[in-house]
Amino acid sequence: MFQSGGHLPFYSGADSDGWFFGSSLHVGLTNDAALSFLGEYNGFDVNLGAQVDVGGLRIGAHVLGVNQTEPLGGYSSEYRRPKLGVLVSLAACPSGGTVLCKPTVAQRQLPRVVQLPAPPPDTVVVAREVPPPLPTGTPALVCLSTGDEIGVRVTAEGDTLVGPGRVPLDQLRPGMGFAGAYAADTEWYGTDATVAFDARRYEPWEGLRRLRCGAIERVGEYRGVPLFAPRGAEMPTRVLYVPVRPGLWQGYRAEAPGG
């Protein structure tokens, strides 16, 4: 198309043999305004222009044939002189919910930057937590009023350590205690000096002692507290043991018949 205009007298020697190009630049001013610059070479003329779009109103100015110079005369002078054009238009958008179309400018895609060599990985520090040493204590077996024996540790200060963490028992009370019923938790212990069992009266004998569960067996109960006698003793037994606290027992003895 452009190449065929070379035979026209007013373009003689000015055609590009069919080559043409153009470019434009659009700049967003605000959310509702854009500025555009345009330039092209159509094979014969260089055309430049600028326009502003504000909320659907477009105002532009364009210069055509910037590269042309007016000849001395002849009928071709109107084609070889630069020309100025002014543009005013409105863009309607009835389907978009608004009367006028607002200009928009596409967001520029930022180029992907690859760093070579790659940055070193983050340094991860792994710390090994060493648990504090467990409290020390002397291993001991505690005979409960249930007849069961459990292992604990007793410190030099008299604390009883229980569980894998060797926690003092006093720190766990009242949420934790040993199984069984004990005389220290009753009202009669300490006020009633005797224990009635099997038609006999038993009085306290010696002080508190520690016993092994294997050496005693349960023979009865007194006011909610189990009673124990030496294992294998003939009944009626002369000696009874009352669990006062876990691991501590109070001995009771009955008077011998005729004594």
Side-chain angles (χ1 to χ4, degrees):
M1 174 181 175
F2 300 121
Q3 187 177 15
S4 62
H7 68 281
L8 299 175
F10 49 85
Y11 281 136
S12 177
D15 66 291
S16 65
D17 294 330
W19 290 96
F20 61 94
F21 57 86
S23 180
S24 62
L25 174 66
H26 305 278
V27 181
L29 302 179
T30 64
N31 292 335
D32 298 332
L35 175 63
S36 302
F37 298 96
L38 306 95
E40 68 172 9
Y41 176 61
N42 61 14
F44 301 97
D45 297 325
V46 176
N47 305 319
L48 301 176
Q51 62 188 33
V52 178
D53 294 90
V54 180
L57 172 63
R58 173 176 294 178
I59 301 175
H62 305 270
V63 180
L64 308 179
V66 177
N67 61 323
Q68 301 296 341
T69 57
E70 184 179 355
L72 297 178
Y75 72 95
S76 62
S77 60
E78 292 299 326
Y79 297 96
R80 301 295 295 272
R81 70 169 62 181
K83 302 174 181 62
L84 174 65
V86 178
L87 169 67
V88 178
S89 65
L90 292 175
C93 293
S95 61
T98 59
V99 178
L100 300 179
C101 299
K102 297 181 180 180
T104 58
V105 178
Q107 296 295 326
R108 175 182 298 179
Q109 297 293 330
L110 297 179
R112 181 182 178 184
V113 179
V114 179
Q115 181 179 348
L116 295 176
D122 295 337
T123 302
V124 179
V125 178
V126 179
R128 179 183 178 184
E129 295 186 1
V130 179
L134 296 175
T136 58
T138 303
L141 292 176
V142 174
C143 182
L144 304 180
S145 66
T146 59
D148 300 316
E149 226 167 25
I150 64 170
V152 298
R153 288 180 176 268
V154 180
T155 66
E157 294 78 13
D159 294 331
T160 301
L161 309 179
V162 297
R166 300 181 186 176
V167 182
L169 182 62
D170 292 339
Q171 296 183 8
L172 302 177
R173 290 174 177 166
M176 177 180 174
F178 291 108
Y182 298 91
D185 300 328
T186 65
E187 296 180 358
W188 60 265
Y189 179 74
T191 60
D192 190 350
T194 61
V195 171
F197 176 69
D198 203 9
R200 306 179 74 177
R201 305 292 297 182
Y202 293 80
E203 295 182 356
W205 173 56
E206 297 183 346
L208 297 177
R209 65 185 68 185
R210 297 183 181 274
L211 298 176
R212 294 293 303 270
C213 285
I216 57 177
E217 59 182 345
R218 181 169 177 169
V219 294
E221 181 179 305
Y222 177 69
R223 301 177 68 174
V225 178
L227 300 177
F228 288 76
R231 186 174 294 276
E234 295 182 1
M235 301 302 291
T237 179
R238 189 180 180 190
V239 177
L240 290 177
Y241 294 106
V242 175
V244 178
R245 290 189 296 273
L248 292 178
W249 299 76
Q250 174 65 57
Y252 286 80
R253 185 170 65 174
E255 291 295 335

